[in-house]
Amino acid sequence: MSMKFMMEGLVIFVLIGMLCAIPCGVYGVSVSCMMAYEEGGAPAVFSSLECPQWVLSAGYSENSTRNCQFAMLQGHREYQEDRVTCNLDMKLLFSGEGTPEETTVGIAAIFDGHGGDEASEMASRKFLDYFSMHAVFTAYKRALPSNNENHETNKVERMDHHSLLPILEEALLRTIQDIDSEFSKEALDKGYISGSTATIALLVNGQFLVANVGDSKALLCSEKTASHHDTEGTSSGEVYIEELTRDHHPDREDEKARIQSAGGFVSERGIPRVNGILAVSRAIGDVYLKRYGVTADPEVTGWRAFTPENSYLVVASDGIFETLTTKNVCDLVHDKASRFSSEHVSSSSLADWIIRHAFRRGSTDNLSAIVIADLHNCKEGGCNRERKRTT
């Protein structure tokens, strides 16, 4: 028996011993299920006979827009390839002092498909289940006792606010990675050429993070209050906009460099495209262009706290911005909200207001928008809870 084989066996033995030293009931993770996760991520867990408790455990995929304020319009396109996934009131359990503690997490995501709806459909259908599973497994792994500290080996570290944020960010990144990997395998098997953008806002305890793949956008619309003064000459009550995402277009200098270093090229006539085909340089799927630098790796903002000036968080597909600027979008939601009382203006009607304006101004693409209002209430979890059906 080789020394390498013996050492690998020892590592596995020690890992299993450490796992068994922690009460698996805290997270509902068995050793065999943890091993399936380590080998194949979320798809392996959901397909494993060793993990029966994770078969559609979260149940979110059956209703991927619960508690969400959104609107969609097929527009002039032959098919609707946009998909929305949103739950602003997800309940996740993490370890507390003696008993698990419930944490409320909000997710708002738009997947804008191209070349077919297969990629956006899979992403929207599986995202919340995969995310919740990754959050639990990541928390469980991080709770393993440290050999560098003198404490009882069966003690599980308590997840506080600061340790929770990196867990949720890692869960988000792993979810995107798993969906891209799973869809890419299916695309090769079935000959799909489709892909999808992914723009996802993650909200917890008054803070938020945005991950972006492609050219959908996330915006923070705010309003200067009478007591707010700045050095930019912004008047009291004026709407101001912050783009939380940067479009992944192939002619962006850093994106173009990656594509060219992978052996691809960017056509510059008309709309810049990877190898003359794809108008975005990052996407879920697009499996036949992955070798030329197309990637599903997202750009991620850091965690930030909402401020009293923040009024609306908007996530929207690129069809909106064919005819509207980011300032148009924020002005629209503020103008409509100011003209009517809060009892008569819902966030879903604000989202509908955005897409109807984009359509009337001549947008030819599918249109989707999510609007999250009352951002200060997100500190207590749940944000706002009304639901809007698709058009």
Side-chain angles (χ1 to χ4, degrees):
M1 182 181 295
S2 69
M3 181 61 70
K4 179 181 178 182
F5 182 82
M6 291 175 64
M7 291 302 296
E8 288 176 347
L10 179 60
V11 169
I12 293 172
F13 177 79
V14 171
L15 175 60
I16 293 174
M18 292 174 68
L19 291 171
C20 292
I22 298 176
C24 293
V26 172
Y27 297 111
V29 178
S30 67
V31 173
S32 57
C33 195
M34 187 68 188
M35 293 177 70
Y37 176 75
E38 290 293 334
E39 291 174 3
V45 171
F46 280 96
S47 63
S48 174
L49 297 177
E50 303 295 335
C51 310
Q53 72 274 33
W54 286 100
V55 178
L56 296 178
S57 58
Y60 299 125
S61 59
E62 297 177 4
N63 179 8
S64 63
T65 51
R66 67 175 62 180
N67 308 318
C68 187
Q69 300 74 47
F70 75 101
M72 299 177 71
L73 187 67
Q74 182 173 318
H76 295 293
R77 291 294 179 91
E78 187 176 356
Y79 304 104
Q80 174 60 278
E81 295 176 327
D82 285 3
R83 296 292 187 273
V84 170
T85 292
C86 191
N87 187 343
L88 301 181
D89 197 23
M90 291 180 66
K91 305 298 183 184
L92 300 178
L93 290 176
F94 298 101
S95 67
E97 295 179 347
T99 58
E101 291 184 355
E102 187 178 79
T103 297
T104 301
V105 178
I107 289 182
I110 285 182
F111 303 99
D112 181 354
H114 49 262
D117 63 0
E118 296 90 358
S120 58
E121 173 62 25
M122 175 182 283
S124 64
R125 179 164 41 86
K126 298 195 173 188
F127 191 89
L128 293 176
D129 275 322
Y130 280 20
F131 174 80
S132 63
M133 188 274 292
H134 273 300
V136 170
F137 276 76
T138 302
Y140 181 55
K141 289 171 63 179
R142 293 194 178 205
L144 290 171
S146 172
N147 291 329
N148 298 322
E149 298 180 13
N150 294 320
H151 58 260
E152 296 178 359
T153 58
N154 65 348
K155 180 180 178 181
V156 177
E157 297 284 341
R158 184 180 185 274
M159 293 297 167
D160 60 19
H161 173 69
H162 296 292
S163 60
L164 178 62
L165 296 183
I167 287 170
L168 295 176
E169 182 174 352
E170 183 175 343
L172 176 62
L173 297 177
R174 286 179 175 269
T175 297
I176 296 171
Q177 181 183 58
D178 274 358
I179 289 174
D180 178 60
S181 177
E182 184 175 0
F183 178 74
S184 294
K185 292 176 183 176
E186 184 172 318
L188 287 171
D189 182 53
K190 297 184 178 180
Y192 295 150
I193 61 170
S194 59
S196 177
T197 70
T199 302
I200 303 130
L202 183 59
L203 305 89
V204 62
N205 297 331
Q207 297 200 57
F208 70 98
L209 172 148
V210 174
N212 184 53
V213 178
D215 61 357
S216 294
K217 295 183 187 293
L219 313 175
L220 192 60
C221 305
S222 304
E223 186 173 5
K224 302 287 187 182
T225 62
S227 61
H228 187 99
H229 301 282
D230 62 22
T231 60
E232 299 177 359
T234 304
S235 61
S236 174
E238 183 177 345
V239 177
Y240 69 104
I241 309 98
E242 181 178 359
E243 291 192 39
L244 303 172
T245 54
R246 294 196 302 159
D247 291 344
H248 293 132
H249 289 155
D251 60 339
R252 210 178 87 176
E253 186 175 347
D254 53 342
E255 298 295 292
K256 184 176 182 179
R258 188 187 67 251
I259 292 162
Q260 290 177 335
S261 66
F265 68 92
V266 177
S267 61
E268 303 272 352
R269 293 184 179 179
I271 298 173
R273 297 178 184 273
V274 179
N275 288 11
I277 300 170
L278 184 63
V280 291
S281 50
R282 301 195 192 194
I284 292 171
D286 290 296
V287 63
Y288 298 106
L289 291 171
K290 282 293 200 291
R291 72 184 70 178
Y292 298 110
V294 174
T295 177
D297 293 340
E299 284 190 298
V300 184
T301 66
W303 284 101
R304 292 174 45 184
F306 289 117
T307 68
E309 290 83 11
N310 300 150
S311 304
Y312 302 98
L313 180 63
V314 179
V315 184
S317 61
D318 74 312
I320 299 295
F321 304 100
E322 275 190 10
T323 55
L324 298 178
T325 66
T326 55
K327 186 177 187 304
N328 292 152
V329 170
C330 286
D331 284 344
L332 281 170
V333 293
H334 274 280
D335 289 348
K336 186 170 180 65
S338 64
R339 279 195 278 166
F340 302 95
S341 67
S342 59
E343 291 112 9
H344 296 96
V345 179
S346 63
S347 290
S348 57
S349 65
L350 292 176
D352 188 71
W353 190 245
I354 292 170
I355 68 170
R356 297 293 175 181
H357 269 75
F359 181 73
R360 284 198 294 267
R361 289 193 180 188
S363 177
T364 61
D365 202 354
N366 298 148
L367 302 164
S368 300
I370 303 169
V371 176
I372 304 173
D374 299 324
L375 298 176
H376 60 284
N377 289 335
C378 293
K379 292 181 180 180
E380 304 300 325
C383 300
N384 43 42
R385 307 186 177 206
E386 169 211 8
R387 184 181 173 205
K388 173 73 162 96
R389 293 182 179 273
T390 59
T391 302

